[in-house]
Each structure stands twice: as structure tokens, then as C-alpha cells.
């Protein structure tokens, strides 16, 4: 099933008094419930755009300590400090990039998350809380 979580509009510059908009986009975020395990979903990571990727649990997202969700969703006492993800190592000429396990700091991930994504993750955490109360 597919459920709309939130929409986020972004433009640059952020105010008209700073100049005419040069870039603007609207991003819609959906929550998809699927029957596959995250371990069975192949990650196709273009090396020119992505250095690493990771599947995160609700507790992992809380442990990221992002400004937008820190107070409403404090991390659990047993929250992990790191998670294992997939790193992309550029391939040599004519070779595909390699995907290797990497250890990622949740706080470092949280510090690098863009504001729009923090907004989405906060909405996702709220939806998870509402689902668990039913």
C-alpha cells in the first residue's frame, strides 16, 4: 500500500528580495508497505551521486538526534550509535562500482540531513506513533 506522508516545497534563493528563483521543486513523500524484507531489496547506487546508503529503523531515526524531531521523539536508552550500511567505492575504468559494508554514525547522519528530509522523518515518526496506538 502507498500512503502520502507529506509534501515539501523548496526554492532558491529562499526569499524574493534575494533574487529571482533559480531553482524550485516540490517533493512528495510516500510511505510504502511492501511484503519484502529490506535485505531483499537491491540498492542501485549511482557512484556520482551517492557515497553510502542505509536502511533505518524507527529507533535509528530517533537516535540521529535531528533538530526537528529531537524533543518530540527522544532516542531510546538502548539506541545504537552506529548502523551498518552500504558504501559505494568508485570502480576503476570500465569496472562497476563496488558496494561494501560501512559503519555509519547516526549522529553524523543526523547532522547532514537536509531540513526537508528532517521534516519528512518527523512526519514519518508521527505516523509510526499513530499506527502503534491503534
Amino acid at each position: 500500500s502507498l500512503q502520502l506522508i507529506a509534501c515539501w516545497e523548496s526554492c532558491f534563493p529562499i526569499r524574493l528580495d534575494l533574487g529571482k528563483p533559480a531553482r524550485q521543486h516540490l517533493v512528495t513523500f510516500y510511505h510504502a508497505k511492501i511484503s519484502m524484507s529490506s535485505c531483499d531489496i537491491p540498492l542501485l547506487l549511482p557512484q556520482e551521486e551517492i557515497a553510502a546508503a542505509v536502511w533505518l529503523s524507527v529507533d535509528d531515526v530517533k537516535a540521529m538526534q535531528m533538530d526537528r524531531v529531537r524533543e518530540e521523539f527522544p532516542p531510546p536508552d538502548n539506541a545504537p550509535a552506529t548502523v551498518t550500511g552500504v558504501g559505494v567505492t568508485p570502480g576503476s575504468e570500465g569496472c562497476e562500482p563496488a558496494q561494501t559494508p560501512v559503519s555509519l554514525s547516526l549522529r553524523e547522519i543526523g547532522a547532514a540531513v537536509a531540513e526537508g528530509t528532517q521534516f519528512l522523518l518527523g512526519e514519518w515518526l508521527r505516523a509510526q506513533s499513530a499506527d502503534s496506538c491503534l
Side-chain angles (χ1 to χ4, degrees):
S1 75
L2 199 60
Q3 178 184 8
L4 178 66
I5 295 177
C7 295
W8 180 265
E9 181 182 17
S10 177
C11 67
F12 179 82
I14 60 173
R15 296 189 334 246
L16 290 176
D17 62 337
L18 297 173
K20 291 182 180 180
R23 292 185 298 276
Q24 181 177 15
H25 58 273
L26 176 68
V27 181
T28 55
F29 297 100
Y30 290 89
H31 180 235
K33 291 186 180 182
I34 58 175
S35 59
M36 295 173 66
S37 162
S38 61
C39 297
D40 297 328
I41 300 172
L43 292 175
L44 305 174
L45 306 174
Q47 68 184 30
E48 60 277 352
E49 294 183 18
I50 298 172
V54 65
W55 292 106
L56 298 170
S57 69
V58 171
D59 286 344
D60 293 338
V61 173
K62 290 176 183 178
M64 288 167 49
Q65 291 289 289
M66 296 173 295
D67 292 340
R68 281 183 162 267
V69 299
R70 181 180 302 141
E71 290 180 23
E72 188 175 351
F73 299 101
D77 292 335
N78 62 346
T82 62
V83 291
T84 300
V86 175
V88 179
T89 305
S92 57
E93 191 171 326
C95 296
E96 290 293 315
Q99 293 187 7
T100 56
V102 293
S103 181
L104 302 167
S105 161
L106 286 169
R107 287 208 177 215
E108 288 179 21
I109 294 171
V113 171
E115 191 165 334
T117 304
Q118 287 189 38
F119 167 76
L120 155 73
L121 291 171
E123 294 301 306
W124 180 70
L125 288 171
R126 283 181 199 87
Q128 297 301 308
S129 293
D131 284 349
S132 67
C133 292
L134 298 176

